[in-house]
Amino acid sequence: MIQETFSPPNERPSAPPGKLWMEVIHLEMLEPPPPPPRNPPIAGLAITHIESPTIEFYRWIYDAVGAKWMWHVRKQISDDALAKIIQDPKVEIHIFSQEDTIVGYSEIDHRIPNNAEIAFFGLLPSFLGKGLGPFFLDRTLRLAWAKGVKRVWLHTCIFDHPKAVATYKKGGLKVFKHEGFLIDDPRSDL
């Protein structure tokens, strides 16, 4: 049986100094979302595919969206390693905007045959709570399925937005794995 909730803090193992308890929940879709696409909650919303983004721009949007949620993985790799990922033609970076203002982004990784991983998805903090997340998630899922894959998946963790898992489930994703482990506290490296 898959555990769909995270352990209460008092049930997690103690983390030694310099470590954090990480709980990750993995979700997937095995069929595309049904039509019709979700309607935009406000006017002027757009998604733009950015081919071969610069390292500087990518690092800026990654941090602007993810700092609040302790995103750290891409901060810990070199510019060369990051370029190999984000400038790969099988990795798509999509910028969310309203009019001329950047709202957030998604990264869809098609490097595994028949799969699309939504590697990163999120909004800048000032755009949270406005109903934009479900709309952009729906559009991101449809973009992921547009490549003829058989599976779309993503993972999130206890440091993400409190409504992230519920939003993903409402978008049609289902839990397939839940895991917990100790990690090095990324805040000590930043």
Side-chain angles (χ1 to χ4, degrees):
M1 180 176 187
I2 297 172
Q3 180 183 350
E4 295 191 27
T5 56
F6 297 115
S7 303
N10 59 350
E11 292 181 15
R12 295 179 192 143
S14 299
K19 301 281 188 184
L20 288 176
W21 178 252
M22 170 70 78
E23 292 189 44
V24 178
I25 190 164
H26 301 262
L27 301 101
E28 68 183 352
M29 290 178 81
L30 301 176
E31 296 179 0
R38 185 180 278 270
N39 289 323
I42 56 176
L45 297 179
I47 297 180
T48 305
H49 178 212
I50 306 296
E51 292 187 36
S52 295
T54 65
I55 298 299
E56 295 80 12
F57 176 77
Y58 183 89
R59 288 200 186 277
W60 171 82
I61 191 120
Y62 179 88
D63 197 47
V65 169
K68 182 173 182 163
W69 314 115
M70 214 170 10
W71 288 9
H72 62 279
V73 175
R74 296 285 170 85
K75 290 181 176 188
Q76 296 173 330
I77 63 175
S78 70
D79 286 352
D80 287 342
L82 180 59
K84 285 179 184 172
I85 297 168
I86 65 170
Q87 295 173 352
D88 186 306
K90 293 182 180 178
V91 175
E92 302 172 9
I93 309 298
H94 297 277
I95 302 301
F96 311 150
S97 61
Q98 181 191 23
E99 306 297 338
D100 293 329
T101 303
I102 293 176
V103 171
Y105 89 108
S106 66
E107 178 179 328
I108 305 170
D109 187 337
H110 291 278
R111 292 178 294 173
I112 298 173
N114 298 315
N115 280 263
E117 177 189 3
I118 300 174
F120 294 96
F121 172 87
L123 305 177
L124 278 79
S126 59
F127 293 97
L128 296 172
K130 299 182 179 188
L132 301 176
F135 169 77
F136 284 122
L137 176 62
D138 180 70
R139 290 302 198 268
T140 297
L141 290 168
R142 291 174 192 283
L143 287 166
W145 281 102
K147 299 281 187 179
V149 299
K150 295 182 179 177
R151 176 179 178 248
V152 173
W153 67 282
L154 60 81
H155 66 270
T156 186
C157 73
I158 58 172
F159 302 119
D160 203 352
H161 190 283
K163 294 183 180 178
V165 172
T167 298
Y168 295 145
K169 286 180 177 182
K170 285 180 187 173
L173 292 135
K174 293 182 176 32
V175 175
F176 73 92
K177 184 168 120 180
H178 183 269
E179 60 188 337
F181 47 88
L182 286 172
I183 64 167
D184 292 331
D185 187 339
R187 295 171 295 188
S188 61
D189 293 336
L190 306 177

